[in-house]
Amino acid sequence: MQTVMSETSSQNAIDVQNAVKRFGDFTALKQICLAIADNEFFTLLGPSGCGKTTLLRIIAGFDEVTEGSVRLYGEDLGALPPNRRPVNTVFQSYALFPHMSVLHNVSFGLEMLGKSPAEARERAGRMLELVQLSQFADRRPGQLSGGQQQRVALARALAPQPKLLLLDEPLSALDLKLRKAMRIELKHLQRETGITFVFVTHDQEEALTMSDRIAVMSEGELQQVGASREIYERPCNRFVANFIGDTNLLEVTVDRIEGARAACHLGGGHALICEAVEGVRDGARVHLSVRPERLFATAEPTGPEALAARVVENVFTGTDITSIVELAQGPRLTLRSSNSERGNRRIFEQGATCFVNMEAGAGRLLVD
Amino acid sequence: MAGRTNLRTIPGFRALTLLCLFVLYAPLIVVTVYSFNASASITNWEGLSLRWYWDVFTGPDSGKFKTAAANSFLIAVSAATISTTIATLAATGMIRTGRFRARTLSFGLISLPLMVPEIVTAVATLIFFNAIALERGLLSILIAHVVFCIPFAYLPISARMQGIGPAYEEAALDLYATKRQTFTRILLPLMAPGIVSGYLLAFIVSLDDFIITNFVKGAGVETLPTAIFGAVKRGIQPNIMAISTLLLGLSILLVTLSWLVSRSDTTK
Ligand SMILES: Nc1ncnc2c1ncn2[C@@H]1O[C@H](COP(=O)(O)OP(=O)(O)OP(=O)(O)O)[C@@H](O)[C@H]1O
Ligand SMILES: [Mg+2]
């Protein structure tokens, strides 16, 4: 048992155990336990102020945990200073050295590692090529746009080939198009280099598109850790369901548990069958999360579970059409269908009556 | 702004402003203009000439002035160098070692000499030097100058340092630089404008100082200000105006330089 434990922990890039961080009497991290595997693209996702940067700073060595421990490849980091950790950071504020050229910024880490200036410059030049900034090598960081500065920061952190790269919201200053391109680029880069990425963002779409696994954080606590799909489709609580993507959160009462299925009813008495989850008993009042794209409207009921509703509004968003419908004496629901011939057949005029159907297994009961 | 009164509408504002400017600058202008006077009289204008500047460098008093000027520059350079070094280290310590309890107190202690009347410092320094039996001469002047130059050097350096923020140092540490490399390769270059500005201020303050120097200098050791004072006591000669104008010019030059340097900001 003992050996198995140490075996698994040495394969992890990062092992955070019961980490607590307090600033005075404010607790920024509350008992965080987290394991990040080698070669993983791991994302910390959460709203502003939830402690993402704090956790990164602890891994990088700028702050120490108040309680608990952080291990890097099985080795306790303790009070190892940041310059002795095989970890590089892309800072939220870039922190490019304003008095050095772009090239010198990128070669700095290599020089500090003892590489000869020529070798450092050569490698830095290749890193700049990688982020497509070769023509700006001799400029000062202040003469670059925000997006270019971010790419310099990325090149600078990648140049010394760290085992672990920490990225603190590195794409936040880019426009949507460039951000989307950089997402693919980053993911590609991570696969190619095999460096473990710990990526911080408060953008759920960014997290879903790039990550192998996501940790959702809120107020210094981990809410859920899992693969992108799992987090999206099987959120474990209301916070996660709400934070990741759009969802319909409905209050339901559980009538009966029948094996793996739970028979419930909504506010207006509308009956529903969904997957049972642990911790839900007969008669419990809990929440049900249903993604808008898993609901569809039809003119006639498709089965006994179809819910009669009236269309309140249709909103055209380009790729999709969102319909807001109201159940008879019940809550409002949001439905989404793609803007395609097939999808448009499921759109009904405002004020029309229709039936709302839920795809099998789409409803997720949330205990809290 | 409705609530704010326009200063210019206050009766007598313009007259008062002009009076203040006149009192401040008229003497300087008179001295500068009359330093170019061809006459040996300090009140009668007899035409433009560089005669008295010539006299400063070659006249009967020139030897005295040259020695005094050499002393002044030697002391100013040394005092500025030492005090700027101390101020740089102090600023690094005060701003980078996080909050410590005596921080406000330390800052107060460093800036206090700016508020103590100079004559008090002069007397106290003299008494102190007597007490420790320090022989009076160039060394005693230098020590006294280093002490009162520190706050002048400290203020622009710490102002600059406060604007830098810890992120650059963290980035350097993250990129495997040691604490020492972080200081020399990142912090010092970023602080340079503040350091140069502090150095120039310290230099000019040392060069111009009269009261403290006059107290702690030994007999026979003169700096430029004490030499000028000595000469004036024997009656104002036009060559004093020339030498004063030269000093004024140098001061303006250095202060302007200091201001320009502190304004140039590489982080923007
Ligand atoms: N040095 C500090 N002293 C006191 N409180 C701090 C300190 N650093 C962070 N905090 C607090 O800890 C909490 C978490 O901060 P953190 O910077 O980790 O947030 P974040 O998740 O990175 O947010 P953002 O998305 O806005 O960057 C915040 O409430 C913040 O005010
Ligand atoms: Mg942050």
Side-chain angles (χ1 to χ4, degrees):
Chain A
M1 196 67 207
Q2 197 70 39
T3 47
V4 174
M5 289 277 288
S6 65
E7 184 89 311
T8 48
S9 67
S10 70
Q11 279 163 358
N12 285 333
I14 290 281
D15 251 310
V16 180
Q17 274 159 14
N18 301 316
V20 175
K21 179 67 189 176
R22 287 193 205 95
F23 296 108
D25 45 15
F26 175 77
T27 310
L29 296 179
K30 301 165 189 162
Q31 291 276 331
I32 300 278
C33 289
L34 185 64
I36 299 173
D38 201 9
N39 300 339
E40 192 171 24
F41 196 122
F42 192 89
T43 298
L44 290 172
L45 176 65
S48 187
C50 71
K52 306 180 297 285
T53 299
T54 305
L55 186 54
L56 275 202
R57 288 177 60 84
I58 287 170
I59 297 172
F62 300 125
D63 278 327
E64 281 178 50
V65 283
T66 315
E67 286 164 28
S69 71
V70 179
R71 287 167 172 277
L72 187 69
Y73 294 94
E75 205 181 318
D76 197 332
L77 288 177
L80 200 67
N83 53 6
R84 310 240 323 262
R85 301 185 182 201
V87 176
N88 284 143
T89 309
V90 179
F91 290 89
Q92 197 165 8
S93 58
Y94 324 145
L96 298 174
F97 306 129
H99 59 296
M100 293 180 186
S101 70
V102 164
L103 185 74
H104 197 180
N105 261 281
V106 179
S107 68
F108 185 83
L110 295 161
E111 279 174 43
M112 293 301 113
L113 279 176
K115 298 267 188 301
S116 75
E119 193 186 341
R121 260 199 306 278
E122 203 261 337
R123 187 165 160 70
R126 267 187 287 132
M127 292 314 300
L128 283 181
E129 247 166 63
L130 193 70
V131 295
Q132 294 161 23
L133 286 176
S134 298
Q135 72 268 41
F136 300 125
D138 296 325
R139 287 216 198 161
R140 291 285 168 93
Q143 297 166 310
L144 299 182
S145 75
Q148 291 165 339
Q149 290 183 24
Q150 251 171 357
R151 282 185 280 158
V152 177
L154 183 64
R156 182 177 73 172
L158 278 172
Q161 292 175 300
K163 281 189 182 173
L164 185 69
L165 189 69
L166 309 176
L167 304 102
D168 199 348
E169 306 197 20
L171 304 183
S172 55
L174 308 184
D175 62 56
L176 189 62
K177 232 185 167 113
L178 189 55
R179 203 183 319 163
K180 284 189 168 166
M182 282 297 284
R183 279 178 199 163
I184 298 167
E185 198 77 357
L186 269 183
K187 178 77 197 163
H188 189 72
L189 208 68
Q190 190 267 334
R191 282 227 190 89
E192 209 159 83
T193 55
I195 296 173
T196 310
F197 275 35
V198 181
F199 185 92
V200 162
T201 182
H202 55 243
D203 181 332
Q204 43 103 6
E205 194 185 324
E206 208 164 275
L208 291 173
T209 47
M210 297 199 293
S211 322
D212 294 325
R213 283 195 311 147
I214 300 174
V216 183
M217 277 180 87
S218 163
E219 293 179 359
E221 280 174 302
L222 288 183
Q223 302 294 326
Q224 189 172 1
V225 182
S228 303
R229 265 207 112 86
E230 189 186 330
I231 297 258
Y232 186 79
E233 278 165 11
R234 307 173 65 83
C236 71
N237 61 27
R238 263 190 290 166
F239 178 85
V240 176
N242 240 333
F243 193 73
I244 312 266
D246 297 327
T247 196
N248 292 293
L249 270 188
L250 307 166
E251 270 187 43
V252 296
T253 308
V254 179
D255 299 322
R256 299 177 306 282
I257 307 276
E258 295 163 347
R261 288 149 64 85
C264 322
H265 68 267
L266 289 175
H270 307 277
L272 281 170
I273 303 282
C274 47
E275 226 177 294
V277 295
E278 218 176 297
V280 176
R281 260 176 261 113
D282 288 10
R285 289 181 63 83
V286 290
H287 283 85
L288 175 74
S289 161
V290 193
R291 300 291 180 190
E293 67 272 19
R294 301 297 211 102
L295 292 172
F296 60 97
T298 49
E300 300 296 328
T302 54
E305 285 174 31
L307 309 168
R310 190 178 55 83
V311 178
V312 178
E313 206 179 348
N314 289 318
V315 182
F316 176 71
T317 58
T319 53
D320 298 317
I321 294 165
T322 303
S323 304
I324 298 163
V325 303
E326 194 165 55
L327 301 184
Q329 292 122 44
R332 286 187 174 195
L333 292 174
T334 306
L335 282 64
R336 189 178 301 139
S337 62
S338 65
N339 181 16
S340 62
E341 210 176 308
R342 182 163 166 269
N344 287 340
R345 256 184 271 136
R346 294 172 167 182
I347 302 299
F348 293 81
E349 288 290 308
Q350 191 174 329
T353 50
C354 60
F355 289 87
V356 175
N357 311 272
M358 190 166 77
E359 290 177 9
R364 173 94 180 144
L365 288 179
L366 306 171
V367 182
D368 65 349
Chain B
M1 282 254 174
R4 195 181 286 173
T5 39
N6 189 343
L7 268 182
R8 266 175 250 171
T9 60
I10 298 173
F13 171 76
R14 181 188 289 261
L16 190 65
T17 309
L18 289 177
L19 180 70
C20 287
L21 287 175
F22 181 78
V23 172
L24 273 174
Y25 289 103
L28 292 179
I29 292 168
V30 168
V31 164
T32 309
V33 170
Y34 272 83
S35 70
F36 295 102
N37 195 352
S39 158
S41 152
I42 58 163
T43 47
N44 297 333
W45 181 258
E46 276 179 19
L48 216 56
S49 137
L50 287 177
R51 172 181 167 193
W52 298 111
Y53 287 89
W54 185 252
D55 185 78
V56 166
F57 291 102
T58 59
D61 288 340
S62 65
K64 215 167 65 191
F65 283 137
K66 274 183 194 156
T67 324
N71 284 344
S72 269
F73 277 93
L74 178 68
I75 288 169
V77 168
S78 319
T81 308
I82 299 171
S83 60
T84 306
T85 309
I86 295 174
T88 304
L89 297 177
T92 313
M94 298 262 292
I95 293 166
R96 280 302 183 267
T97 46
R99 311 210 139 267
F100 60 99
R101 207 167 293 167
R103 184 141 141 185
T104 320
L105 182 69
S106 310
F107 181 75
L109 278 178
I110 288 180
S111 350
L112 194 64
L114 293 174
M115 278 155 278
V116 174
E118 206 182 339
I119 185 74
V120 176
T121 313
V123 172
T125 311
L126 178 64
I127 293 171
F128 177 68
F129 284 167
N130 274 341
I132 62 169
L134 182 76
E135 197 187 327
R136 279 189 280 156
L138 284 180
L139 183 64
S140 62
I141 301 176
L142 177 62
I143 294 173
H145 278 216
V146 167
V147 172
F148 73 74
C149 281
I150 288 174
F152 288 96
Y154 179 80
L155 291 179
I157 294 174
S158 73
R160 171 84 197 164
M161 186 104 183
Q162 243 137 12
I164 293 175
Y168 300 117
E169 287 152 86
E170 288 183 350
L173 283 179
D174 190 63
L175 292 163
Y176 313 105
T178 60
K179 279 243 158 72
R180 191 195 186 88
Q181 284 167 324
T182 304
F183 183 73
T184 55
R185 314 255 323 228
I186 306 295
L187 203 52
L188 268 188
L190 289 178
M191 278 165 66
I195 293 174
V196 172
S197 170
Y199 185 93
L200 291 175
L201 270 185
F203 181 87
I204 207 71
V205 166
S206 164
L207 194 70
D208 285 353
D209 180 72
F210 172 71
I211 300 179
I212 293 177
T213 314
N214 203 34
F215 271 71
V216 301
K217 80 186 176 67
V221 181
E222 300 286 355
T223 63
L224 215 38
T226 64
I228 292 173
F229 182 72
V232 167
K233 273 201 294 194
R234 286 179 276 112
I236 301 177
Q237 297 295 311
N239 61 352
I240 296 300
M241 297 204 202
I243 216 170
S244 302
T245 306
L246 286 173
L247 267 181
L248 180 66
L250 184 68
S251 297
I252 291 174
L253 184 76
L254 291 185
V255 169
T256 312
L257 217 61
S258 155
W259 180 74
L260 285 178
V261 168
S262 68
R263 241 179 32 135
S264 78
D265 191 341
T266 48
T267 58
K268 279 183 190 147

